[in-house]
């Protein structure tokens, strides 16, 4: 039911999924950034998911094969996703897509990249505005690995707390040398933590998400030497939750999916609050029985989870509503 073709946009490999059914008008276009902790993941790992989104929502889906860490450190992945998106927006009509109906979408690390690209494009007056952003259990900050969801789900597959810190350090520095400090919270100076605490804080998470074994974390200071290595964690292109309100106010309509049993749950909840506080319309889907990575298991034979299918149906319905 799809035409599938591999191309390059500005030297970035992309795979395009176009529905074969004729369309009355121009379609919507979905830029898809895959998950995998910025370290792994490929067209193949997310092929079924991209096919399903293209088919079910009758959209043109463009999967982006961005460069991976640790060989290619931040901002390589972000720049690839941004450049591919800009190229597509300028040439959307060539693929039968309405330039005013382009959506960025990603899961996990891909959700991080979608949020960062969306923020960068929000300030551009030379391009059409993005129609929406779809963030599927995104990782959006690296200041606090002791939020309630990090404590509650630290050993829950498919993403352990240690893995989350390991991957973001691989993306940032190409190594995980400061993992211990990052997990303890002694990688960012207290004054900077306090500056961002209006956005990154357990206080902004609804009480019902704290009942399951959460203990408030003591603020620890950090050495200049450690902060020197991780200070780019304060850049919104790496941690979109830290963007200024003036940027967040310009963001397009948003869909956020979170899972109860996921260390990244609270990143999604905190961003949802920030978007809503700034007048951005948010559709929120929370899978009470979901865990990190569940969307990819929507049709894995005996390993399928109904919650994964439910989450994916929500994504497709949101797309159809645009």
């Amino acid at each position: 039911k799809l035409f599938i073709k591999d191309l390059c946009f500005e030297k970035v490999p992309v795979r395009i999924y176009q529905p074969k059914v004729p369309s009355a008008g121009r379609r919507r276009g979905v830029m898809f950034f895959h998950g995998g902790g910025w370290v792994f993941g490929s067209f193949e790992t997310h092929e079924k998911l991209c096919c399903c989104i293209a088919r079910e929502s009758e959209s043109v889906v463009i999967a982006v094969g961005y460069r991976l860490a640790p060989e290619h450190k931040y901002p390589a992945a972000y720049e690839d996703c941004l450049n591919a998106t800009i190229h597509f927006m300028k040439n959307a009509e060539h693929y039968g897509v309405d330039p005013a109906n382009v959506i960025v979408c990603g899961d996990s690390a891909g959700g991080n990249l979608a949020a960062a690209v969306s923020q960068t494009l929000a300030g551009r007056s030379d391009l059409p505005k993005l129609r929406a952003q779809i963030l599927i259990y995104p990782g959006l900050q690296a200041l606090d690995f002791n939020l309630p969801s990090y404590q509650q789900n630290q050993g829950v597959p498919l993403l352990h707390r240690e893995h989350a810190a390991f991957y973001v350090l691989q993306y940032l520095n190409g190594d995980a040398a400061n993992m211990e400090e990052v997990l303890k919270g002694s990688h960012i100076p207290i004054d900077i933590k306090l500056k961002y605490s209006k956005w990154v804080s357990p206080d902004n998470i609804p009480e019902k998400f704290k009942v399951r074994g959460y203990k408030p974390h003591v603020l620890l200071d950090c050495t200049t030497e450690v902060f020197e290595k991780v200070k780019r964690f304060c850049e919104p292109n790496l941690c979109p939750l830290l963007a200024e309100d003036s940027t967040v106010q310009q963001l397009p309509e948003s869909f956020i999916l979170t899972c109860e049993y996921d260390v990244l749950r609270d990143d999604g909840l905190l961003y949802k609050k920030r978007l809503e506080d700034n007048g951005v319309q948010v559709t929120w889907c929370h899978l009470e029985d979901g865990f990190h990575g569940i969307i990819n298991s929507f049709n894995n034979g005996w390993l399928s989870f109904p919650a994964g299918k439910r989450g994916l149906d929500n994504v497709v319905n949101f797309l159809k509503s645009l």
Side-chain angles (χ1 to χ4, degrees), residues 35-317:
W38 304 277
V39 173
F40 54 91
S42 64
F43 294 139
E44 280 67 36
T45 57
H46 287 66
E47 176 105 331
K48 283 182 183 169
L49 183 56
C50 289
C51 284
C52 180
I53 292 172
R55 217 174 37 237
E56 301 292 321
S57 72
E58 295 190 356
S59 306
V60 175
V61 173
I62 300 91
V64 179
Y66 57 85
R67 287 169 291 167
L68 299 175
E71 293 79 10
H72 303 280
K73 300 196 278 281
Y74 167 77
Y78 155 75
E79 286 175 346
D80 286 356
C81 292
L82 178 64
N83 292 336
T85 303
I86 291 171
H87 176 92
F88 182 71
M89 292 175 90
K90 288 179 175 170
N91 298 281
E93 290 171 359
H94 181 66
Y95 302 97
V97 168
D98 177 357
N101 204 355
V102 175
I103 298 104
V104 290
C105 173
D107 64 317
S108 192
N112 165 283
L113 295 164
V117 166
S118 192
Q119 288 181 2
T120 305
L121 294 175
R124 296 267 303 240
S125 53
D126 58 326
L127 292 166
K129 275 191 117 38
L130 281 174
R131 179 64 185 86
Q133 58 174 350
I134 296 175
L135 312 177
I136 300 169
Y137 32 73
L140 300 168
Q141 59 86 31
L143 263 57
D144 190 351
F145 285 83
N146 290 285
L147 291 167
S149 61
Y150 269 110
Q151 292 188 24
Q152 294 159 344
N153 305 307
Q154 57 184 323
V156 176
L158 299 169
L159 184 67
H160 294 180
R161 178 168 167 263
E162 280 84 5
H163 296 162
F166 175 81
Y167 291 138
V168 77
L169 280 165
Q170 290 280 333
Y171 179 38
L172 176 66
N173 289 330
D175 65 50
N178 299 104
M179 194 156 130
E180 203 176 316
E181 291 88 352
V182 168
L183 288 168
K184 279 198 314 217
S186 61
H187 62 307
I188 304 282
I190 284 184
D191 57 330
I192 293 181
K193 273 192 210 141
L194 291 173
K195 174 188 162 186
Y196 288 120
S197 64
K198 58 182 185 245
W199 301 328
V200 183
S201 161
D203 299 346
N204 293 340
I205 291 160
E207 287 306 314
K208 67 173 186 178
F209 291 105
K210 298 180 203 172
V211 288
R212 194 164 51 90
Y214 163 65
K215 292 188 181 66
H217 187 67
V218 183
L219 272 187
L220 299 172
D221 215 344
C222 94
T223 64
T224 320
E225 183 194 5
V226 170
F227 182 55
E228 202 46 47
K229 288 194 192 146
V230 301
K231 63 177 185 226
R232 296 186 82 183
F233 277 162
C234 298
E235 294 181 12
N237 289 342
L238 181 58
C239 295
L241 196 50
L242 308 185
E244 292 299 325
D245 284 343
S246 54
T247 299
V248 177
Q249 281 156 12
Q250 299 180 67
L251 290 171
E253 188 179 338
S254 304
F255 174 98
I256 296 179
L257 182 138
T258 52
C259 293
E260 181 58 37
Y261 300 100
D262 179 5
V263 288
L264 298 183
R265 179 196 71 200
D266 294 350
D267 284 26
L269 294 178
L270 291 171
Y271 204 45
K272 170 182 181 278
K273 181 181 188 319
R274 285 218 58 203
L275 290 162
E276 289 172 343
D277 287 352
N278 283 282
V280 177
Q281 190 182 331
V282 180
T283 301
W284 175 46
C285 168
H286 183 64
L287 302 177
E288 295 279 356
D289 47 350
F291 54 85
H292 194 81
I294 196 168
I295 297 294
N296 259 20
S297 74
F298 73 96
N299 67 350
N300 262 4
W302 61 274
L303 239 184
S304 296
F305 293 88
K309 180 77 174 84
R310 217 166 52 241
L312 184 55
D313 288 345
N314 272 280
V315 170
V316 168
N317 290 336

